[in-house]
Amino acid sequence: MRKLATSMTALATLFIATQAQAEDVEVLHWWTSGGEAAALNVLKGDLESQGIGWQDMPVAGGGGTQAMTVLRARVTAGNPPTAVQMLGFDILDWAKEGALADLNILAGMEGWDAVVPEALQQFAKHDGKWVSAPVNVHSTNWVWANKAVLDELGIAVPTTWDEFVAALEAVKASGKTAIAHGGQAWQDATVFDAVVMSTGGLDFYKSAFIDLDEDALGSDTMKEAFDRMGVIRSYVDDNFSGRDWNLATAMVINGDAAFQMMGDWAKGEFLNAGKVPDQDFLCFRFPGTQEQVTFNADQFAMFAQGPEVGKEQAALATAILSPSFQSAFNVVKGSVPARTDVSNEAFDACGKKGMADLKAAAASGNLVGSMAHGHANPASVKNAIYDVVTAHFNGEYDSAAAVDELVTAVQINK
Ligand code: BGC
């Protein structure tokens, strides 16, 4: 009885808190491209309409590596931002340090348990408590194509690795760039997610990246995956090094290149440029991964400011989890909702495919966390894998050496 009374009081306090005039939120994020900024404006607008101000703290760099470095510095200085865009294992790492606010009362009031997919809850909860608010579900095993370029060259959507290589060859022969790519470690790793899944299949991907099994990491299949990365490298243009991902997407949008392998945040760039799926561009799963989804979910973790979650933090979390926001935001962002009860009506063809793929993969056990985007292993391991993949992509190692380096790097960092 006493316990019930206490939690009722806590509930009432929280309710009053969320209704009361809230403070500004300071949000650390890495949504700096045109499409990402358009999506972020949906969230800013939502909060501003509730009288909550937005202090922007953008730190560019896909995958969030730089953002996480800035975050560490802010926390060390005793001045964490109110809310932080975060991925997978990073959320759990901060929760273990006791740095995150407890969102359990709010989550209970709003019934998050019943609507957020289990795969996301694994990263949104620590010790049974909600510690972050899931914004979306992205996935990395996509290919984006310029439809006019493919039509002109008579290229059908490739469904196998061999068909894909034949398509790349045909584009190269036409004088265009076959693959638009940005040579940054996280982008190389994003491609590697799909290549490893396609080369070895679901169980191999899990053994290598989730279980960090040495036999899988050191196998001939892994060597084959590195060989395929070498093939991909031979179809990128000479200026790929250091290029931002959205500039690579622009090459496909403009018809300078045929394909980009990138997560579905790339769709946000096409939409922001006024392009329409199936008319101007195509989205399809990386050949050989049609049944699988390598996912990453953006979440906002709230840094604890005291014993109670802040009013503005609660308001932000409520806004993020609302079904109307989940639809409006994800339609623009290129991702799909982090709730299972949101209609696909407002989504375009790629969004509808993304939602259907996610549902099917979750039901069949083909849904697995993205290594490149922090959903397969902690940052220390992820960054060690990044280093090897990038060094190989830039010709520092051949495939056999890359496999050996991968085994050692994971061993040291796990
Ligand atoms: C995030 C996306 C973001 C992408 C590129 C990923 O890690 O999950 O939301 O659009 O990086 O910045």
Side-chain angles (χ1 to χ4, degrees), residues 25-29 55-59 66-84 94 97 99 303-305:
V25 279
E26 191 198 9
V27 185
L28 175 66
H29 64 89
Q55 280 179 39
D56 210 32
M57 175 83 197
V59 182
Q66 289 90 326
M68 291 304 105
T69 306
V70 170
L71 173 63
R72 177 63 65 188
R74 288 278 306 261
V75 176
T76 307
N79 179 29
T82 323
V84 181
W94 280 109
E97 290 191 29
F303 274 74
Q305 298 166 319

Side-chain angles (χ1 to χ4, degrees), residues 248-313:
T249 311
M251 291 168 69
V252 179
I253 293 174
N254 298 335
D256 295 332
F259 301 105
Q260 182 187 20
M261 282 151 275
M262 188 44 64
D264 37 13
W265 46 90
K267 194 186 77 177
E269 299 305 299
F270 284 94
L271 300 185
N272 201 41
K275 303 297 178 190
V276 177
D278 290 343
Q279 197 173 300
D280 304 309
F281 69 97
L282 303 173
C283 56
F284 56 94
R285 293 288 171 188
F286 187 83
T289 71
Q290 285 87 344
E291 305 293 315
Q292 287 93 31
V293 172
T294 47
F295 83 97
N296 60 299
D298 292 303
Q299 308 209 27
F300 278 106
M302 312 296 167
F303 274 74
Q305 298 166 319
E308 303 280 329
V309 63
K311 318 178 257 217
E312 72 293 351
Q313 293 175 316

Side-chain angles (χ1 to χ4, degrees), residues 286-354:
F286 187 83
T289 71
Q290 285 87 344
E291 305 293 315
Q292 287 93 31
V293 172
T294 47
F295 83 97
N296 60 299
D298 292 303
Q299 308 209 27
F300 278 106
M302 312 296 167
F303 274 74
Q305 298 166 319
E308 303 280 329
V309 63
K311 318 178 257 217
E312 72 293 351
Q313 293 175 316
L316 176 61
T318 296
I320 287 172
L321 264 296
S322 93
S324 58
F325 169 80
Q326 285 283 328
S327 178
F329 176 88
N330 288 307
V331 158
V332 179
K333 181 70 169 65
S335 37
V336 304
R339 297 177 63 116
T340 50
D341 60 346
V342 176
S343 159
N344 72 356
E345 207 182 315
F347 288 79
D348 60 28
C350 295
K352 285 192 168 75
K353 177 170 166 47

